[in-house]
Every structure is written in C-alpha cells, then in structure tokens.
Amino acid sequence: MLEFLYETGTGRWVLKFLTRPRLSIFVGKMLDAKWSRILIPYFLKKNNISLKEYVPTRYESFNECFCRKIHPKCRPIDREPAHLISPCDGYLSAYPITNDLVVPVKQSRYRISDLLRDRELAREFEGGTCLVFRLCVHHYHRYCYPDAAVKGDNVFLPGILHTVRPIALRNVPVFTENAREYTVLHTENFGDVVQMEVGAMLVGKIKNFHGAAKVRRGQEKGHFLYGGSTIVLLLKKDAVEVSNKYFEATARQMEVPVKMGQKLGEKR
C-alpha cells in the first residue's frame, strides 16, 4: 500500500487526501470515542504488545490504551548528570549538522533552518548533532526531557502529515513538511537543546504537558496519540559526545533500537 501511495502517480494523488491534517484529527477523535475500545485486543495482538510492563487500568478508548503509562521500573532513568539520555523509545539515527544540512535519510536531505523555520536559531546548531528517534506503533509513545532544564515556550509549526516510515522518507522531505512542535531547552549540562515532536499520518494529536517551565531530567514531557511518530534532538557543537556506534549504524543506513532513559552520550 505504501509503495502504491508514494511511488505511483495515482497513489500520490490519493496521498494528497490522506496527508491532510483534518483527516488525522477526525481519526483521532474516532479513536477517543468509547466504542474504539473494541479495537484494543486486535491492536495488542497484531503488534505483539504485552501489558505486563504497563500500569494496570481500564482503558476507556483506543487512544487511552495507545498512550498507556509504563511502570517506572521498566524505563529506569540514567541520573548521571554528565550522561545525555534518550527522551523516548524508538529507532535512533545520528547525523552531523554541516552547512545547515542534516539528515540524509535514504536519499532525502534537510536543512535545520527549514526544520525550525528559523534561520537565526538554526545557525546556533551549526557543527552540532541531530538525533532522530523514529517511533513505530508498537513503541511506548510517551516521552521525557533528556536533562534538567529551563524550558522555553512550545512553537507549533503547521503542516501536512506523511507517514514516517522509510518509504516516505525516501520520496518526500517528511520532517520539513509534517506538522511539528518544538521547544528550546536551556539544559543544566548540555547547553541549549532543541527537542521537537513530529506528527505523522493518522496521528490525531501531539500532546505536550508544559509551556515555559523548569523541568527535571526524565520528567514526562508529553505523548503522541495514534500513529508512528518522530522526536528530533538538536545538540550544539562540542556539547555532547554521542556514542560513535549510532553514527556508524546510520552510515550503514541502519537504525539502532533505544529506550527512554538510557545513556546516548556524555558531556564534553
């Protein structure tokens, strides 16, 4: 189906309808309804999801199940101040930022200035690192702050909603076209960090819990509703030494599974 949508003329015509935010908002509302509970058993079975790791509760809708809370012991947070932690579960890719260019994801290239729609802010991350966390439907869809910080206001950038699966990344500039929301974190240990959440096809909502505030390392920042989604971290030059294994895997066009709270690198 995705090959049809992204690699044929007819499919790309259909895609114009499927990527409209109104459709994703409508689907999101349907999955908030009580009747959507009937979809939960099929969803869990199809994606091999066990609820043993999650806080027991009665889900009143499909979306309540989708953004379920995990037991804290199942996602321990690395508390070492010098360690940068993963803000979420997902598949990680790591890229250097050079001349405003970043993320050559399977033939696609992006500019940080296009990602942020802010050339001045983008210049602050020249020579730094871009970490991309791709979440699939089976992943835990809540996310946290990678360090203690003073958090700026949320900046919402409207757009359309492509899937974030690799076939879409090969064919369209997904991250600069999709609706997304970011904030600048003035962190205690890694300088200024941008944390961005990117919506995806049939994601009804990106739900961030805080406006400008003082936040803690590992504190829950928000969650996605239904759909695969992406989180992007932008790190300044010489702020963090991210483990080289992530860059090496990315160069081989491989993604590395990570979990929320685990160490990704160290303060320089």
Side-chain angles (χ1 to χ4, degrees):
M1 176 60 73
L2 289 177
E3 288 180 3
F4 164 73
L5 289 173
Y6 282 92
E7 297 183 343
T8 70
T10 303
R12 284 190 287 271
W13 182 84
V14 175
L15 198 61
K16 291 180 180 179
F17 170 74
L18 293 178
T19 56
R20 291 177 180 175
R22 287 184 180 180
L23 175 62
S24 292
I25 291 171
F26 172 77
V27 172
K29 288 182 178 179
M30 293 298 98
L31 296 179
D32 279 335
K34 286 190 175 183
W35 67 264
S36 65
R37 291 175 54 196
I38 63 175
L39 303 174
I40 294 174
Y42 172 76
F43 170 74
L44 296 176
K45 182 178 180 180
K46 180 182 178 182
N47 293 287
N48 297 312
I49 296 171
S50 170
L51 294 180
K52 292 180 180 179
E53 291 187 333
Y54 297 90
V55 177
T57 188
R58 174 182 169 83
Y59 302 117
E60 296 297 329
S61 69
F62 177 89
N63 266 336
E64 281 194 11
C65 177
F66 187 77
C67 61
R68 60 202 175 277
K69 278 198 171 187
I70 204 163
H71 283 294
K73 65 180 181 181
C74 296
R75 291 297 182 276
I77 303 298
D78 186 328
R79 299 293 178 184
E80 173 57 46
H83 292 174
L84 177 75
I85 64 170
S86 174
C88 62
D89 287 17
Y91 297 122
L92 173 60
S93 301
Y95 307 91
I97 302 170
T98 306
N99 297 326
D100 196 30
L101 282 173
V102 73
V103 198
V105 181
K106 300 179 177 64
Q107 292 83 56
S108 293
R109 298 179 73 85
Y110 302 85
R111 292 187 180 276
I112 292 297
S113 54
D114 293 333
L115 189 70
L116 299 173
R117 296 185 191 169
D118 186 327
R119 291 184 181 277
E120 185 175 345
L121 179 58
R123 280 196 291 269
E124 296 182 23
F125 293 90
E126 175 62 34
T129 299
C130 177
L131 301 180
V132 179
F133 304 82
R134 185 173 67 89
L135 287 72
C136 295
V137 292
H138 66 275
H139 283 123
Y140 183 50
H141 270 67
R142 291 176 179 257
Y143 45 87
C144 73
Y145 295 101
D147 191 29
V150 175
K151 174 186 179 295
D153 290 327
N154 298 316
V155 179
F156 178 72
L157 302 176
I160 57 179
L161 291 167
H162 289 284
T163 177
V164 296
R165 294 179 70 173
I167 190 170
L169 300 177
R170 290 198 299 267
N171 286 279
V172 294
V174 171
F175 298 150
T176 57
E177 288 192 2
N178 279 24
R180 52 203 184 275
E181 187 168 308
Y182 75 85
T183 187
V184 178
L185 305 175
H186 307 288
T187 71
E188 289 187 0
N189 297 289
F190 312 111
D192 286 356
V193 174
V194 166
Q195 182 166 344
M196 172 181 284
E197 293 79 38
V198 183
M201 190 180 292
L202 302 186
V203 174
K205 199 172 186 179
I206 299 169
K207 176 65 175 178
N208 281 314
F209 299 150
H210 316 107
K214 190 172 182 179
V215 298
R216 306 182 307 277
R217 165 187 294 254
Q219 180 180 351
E220 193 169 276
K221 182 178 188 291
H223 62 71
F224 293 106
L225 298 183
Y226 176 71
S229 311
T230 299
I231 290 178
V232 177
L233 287 186
L234 302 180
L235 309 169
K236 287 191 173 182
K237 183 179 179 180
D238 297 329
V240 185
E241 185 174 357
V242 176
S243 175
N244 200 48
K245 69 179 181 181
Y246 300 119
F247 293 99
E248 292 174 348
T250 301
R252 299 193 303 271
Q253 296 194 349
M254 297 175 62
E255 299 169 304
V256 181
V258 295
K259 290 186 177 180
M260 186 177 75
Q262 80 174 65
K263 175 186 174 184
L264 301 178
E266 294 191 28
K267 180 179 180 180
R268 286 186 183 272

